[in-house]
Amino acid sequence: REFAYTLQNDAHLRYLSFNDADELKEQVIKPVLQQFEVGAIYNANPRDKKALPPGRLQPTRREFVFDIDMTDYDSIRQCCSGGAVCKRCWGFVAAAVAVLDRSLRRDFGFSLLVWVYSDRRGIHCWVSDESAMQLTDDQRRAIMGWLEVIKGGKEMVKKVNVRGGRPLPLPPALEEALGILSSEFFIPLILQDQDVFRKRKEGWDVLLDLIPDKEVRGRLESKWAAQAEMEMEDDDDEEETQTNEVRKSEKKWEDLKKEIKSVPKGTPRRQALTAAMEDIVLQYTYPRIDAEVSKHRNHLLKAPFCIHPGTGRVCVPVDPLRVNEFDPAKVPSVGQLLGELDALAGSAEVDELGWEQTSLKPYVEMMEEHNRRILQASRERKMMSEGRKDMSW
């Protein structure tokens, strides 16, 4: 297994490997590390890379990993930008986890998933099923081709093109994802909390660009421009302005829905507008996956339980069933953990200080449960290959 360090002088050391856990521990605590990353399992010892013939060292197994980076949401989130993540914009992460976790389990049959808060910039998913570990790079790219919906850089306004340019029905799996995102995230997150379409620039002007019907787009633009002009005239009345700004995005969305309902049902025009509306929901809520992290087995990923050098917070596991409740600001920091241990030092009730006495306990237990399930799956595979039944309890 490859490990990698980033030192305080920003030196990056790759292809480190160790004979056992004791050697790993000894080497980890020697230098002062800025970052600790985990790589693939190779066909030879990674630390012997320079002594091997060129191309001899090849990755053979690797968890299927996913990276949701909040910087990819900077064009739509209103509360933070860059590496910052707050409870409000965590809603984008919650939406991504809800969709990806369901798809990985139901569409692909994976079960050994652990989600890890990557601190500051988002969340990682590690899939440890044996079938996932053995995926080749081509197979990983193929799955990513299925999962990846948001594509295109800043210059592209429309980033969802899953219908081949025609108002066709969505694939069944994407239809289910749309149902989750529409019912649980789009209104409370995009329209109400983030109020993404409140302002014109990079707000409702983008929404207009995503509407394919010129007549509908023209009427809405005239209406919203007139409303914006009236609101500017009312700026002197602070209380009234604040009232007018409440849920402006929600009102614009209702305006769009009314326009669509005014078009006769069953017509190509109505179908095109309905498809555009669905694509808008996907564009603003569907997971924005850093695909390159998932496609290659030799890609490094920050290890769970690392300490972020900037914030001091720990990269802890997250329960996907309670991801909405997770608050990045409440994640334990290394300073907090040391304080908790110092407070208990010398206590007669504590024989040995460890993570069990700190606020890190539920997160370690979550990871240990994940590891237990991996070991159980490994035992079951071994016993099946030997034709024996599992008699463990």
Side-chain angles (χ1 to χ4, degrees):
R1 170 78 80 169
E2 177 193 5
F3 296 91
Y5 298 165
T6 302
L7 305 180
Q8 282 192 313
N9 61 359
D10 289 332
H12 194 58
L13 307 179
R14 282 202 66 169
Y15 301 108
L16 305 173
S17 56
F18 309 98
N19 293 320
D20 51 40
D22 289 335
E23 185 181 348
L24 169 62
K25 179 180 178 180
E26 179 184 350
Q27 293 300 318
V28 166
I29 63 177
K30 270 185 178 180
V32 179
L33 305 182
Q34 287 276 47
Q35 190 158 297
F36 181 82
E37 297 172 295
V38 180
I41 298 167
Y42 284 81
N43 60 346
N45 207 323
R47 64 185 175 191
D48 296 334
K49 183 178 188 296
K50 292 183 178 180
L52 296 171
R56 171 70 174 82
L57 186 68
Q58 294 293 327
T60 58
R61 300 170 77 247
R62 174 73 160 107
E63 291 84 2
F64 196 15
V65 294
F66 296 86
D67 181 9
I68 303 296
D69 193 328
M70 282 307 303
T71 56
D72 293 330
Y73 292 84
D74 281 354
S75 62
I76 57 175
R77 59 176 174 158
Q78 308 296 303
C79 49
C80 300
S81 63
V85 179
C86 69
K87 177 63 175 173
R88 288 180 60 198
C89 57
W90 183 258
F92 292 103
V93 175
V97 172
V99 168
L100 274 180
D101 193 79
R102 181 205 62 81
S103 185
L104 291 170
R105 294 178 192 275
R106 291 185 53 184
D107 299 339
F108 297 97
F110 299 132
S111 61
L112 301 176
L113 281 65
V114 64
W115 291 90
V116 181
Y117 169 54
S118 62
D119 192 27
R120 290 192 68 188
R121 293 180 61 176
I123 198 165
H124 297 157
C125 178
W126 300 68
V127 185
S128 299
D129 297 71
E130 186 63 18
S131 57
M133 296 286 292
Q134 294 180 355
L135 289 171
T136 65
D137 286 0
D138 286 342
Q139 290 168 334
R140 292 167 198 251
R141 279 192 290 269
I143 294 177
M144 285 308 301
W146 172 265
L147 289 172
E148 198 177 15
V149 170
I150 310 297
K151 298 179 181 180
K154 293 180 179 179
E155 70 284 353
M156 289 184 62
V157 176
K158 184 171 174 56
K159 294 181 171 62
V160 175
N161 294 285
V162 294
R163 308 171 195 263
R166 293 176 293 170
L168 301 172
L170 291 170
L174 203 52
E175 187 73 43
E176 287 190 34
L178 177 67
I180 294 171
L181 296 170
S182 298
S183 61
E184 299 180 26
F185 295 98
F186 187 73
I187 292 176
L189 175 64
I190 303 300
L191 301 184
Q192 296 177 350
D193 181 76
Q194 294 288 324
D195 203 4
V196 173
F197 308 129
R198 179 173 64 88
K199 298 178 181 179
R200 178 160 196 167
K201 187 178 180 181
E202 296 183 358
W204 55 267
D205 56 349
V206 177
L207 177 59
L208 289 171
D209 287 340
L210 295 171
I211 300 170
D213 192 294
K214 290 183 179 179
E215 290 184 23
V216 170
R217 187 168 63 244
R219 283 196 294 270
L220 291 175
E221 183 173 16
S222 298
K223 181 177 181 178
W224 295 345
Q227 289 175 345
E229 193 171 330
M230 289 176 60
E231 287 162 7
M232 288 179 66
E233 293 174 357
D234 292 338
D235 277 349
D236 293 337
D237 189 337
E238 184 178 352
E239 183 177 350
E240 185 179 352
T241 301
Q242 289 177 348
T243 303
N244 286 338
E245 288 185 353
V246 173
R247 296 181 179 178
K248 285 182 182 176
S249 297
E250 201 168 5
K251 291 176 182 177
K252 287 181 172 62
W253 191 249
E254 287 300 320
D255 290 341
L256 173 57
K257 288 168 67 175
K258 287 178 183 177
E259 286 286 346
I260 294 175
K261 287 179 181 178
S262 69
V263 178
K265 288 184 179 180
T267 61
R269 191 176 170 215
R270 175 74 172 258
Q271 292 171 351
L273 282 165
T274 302
M277 197 171 193
E278 293 174 349
D279 289 351
I280 290 167
V281 173
L282 292 174
Q283 179 155 324
Y284 281 87
T285 56
Y286 193 86
R288 301 189 172 203
I289 309 169
D290 186 344
E292 295 306 310
V293 174
S294 305
K295 291 178 181 178
H296 307 289
R297 282 171 294 180
N298 65 350
H299 205 291
L300 300 170
L301 195 65
K302 186 188 301 181
F305 294 99
C306 276
I307 311 295
H308 191 279
T311 66
R313 291 199 181 99
V314 185
C315 297
V316 295
V318 178
D319 184 349
L321 298 178
R322 304 178 64 183
V323 64
N324 272 319
E325 303 171 21
F326 186 84
D327 187 349
K330 295 181 180 179
V331 169
S333 67
V334 64
Q336 174 187 338
L337 296 172
L338 291 172
E340 291 170 0
L341 292 173
D342 288 343
L344 289 169
S347 172
E349 299 177 1
V350 181
D351 296 328
E352 183 177 351
L353 291 175
W355 57 263
E356 299 91 335
Q357 284 79 40
T358 71
S359 53
L360 205 60
K361 181 179 179 181
Y363 303 105
V364 176
E365 290 176 341
M366 196 183 306
M367 180 61 77
E368 288 193 331
E369 172 59 21
H370 175 67
N371 294 340
R372 185 197 65 76
R373 291 169 55 231
I374 293 175
L375 293 173
Q376 177 65 20
S378 177
R379 282 194 295 268
E380 290 173 358
R381 284 196 307 275
K382 182 178 179 181
M383 300 190 83
M384 285 181 64
S385 66
E386 296 174 352
R388 297 186 292 129
K389 292 184 179 180
D390 187 357
M391 300 298 291
S392 62
W393 283 269

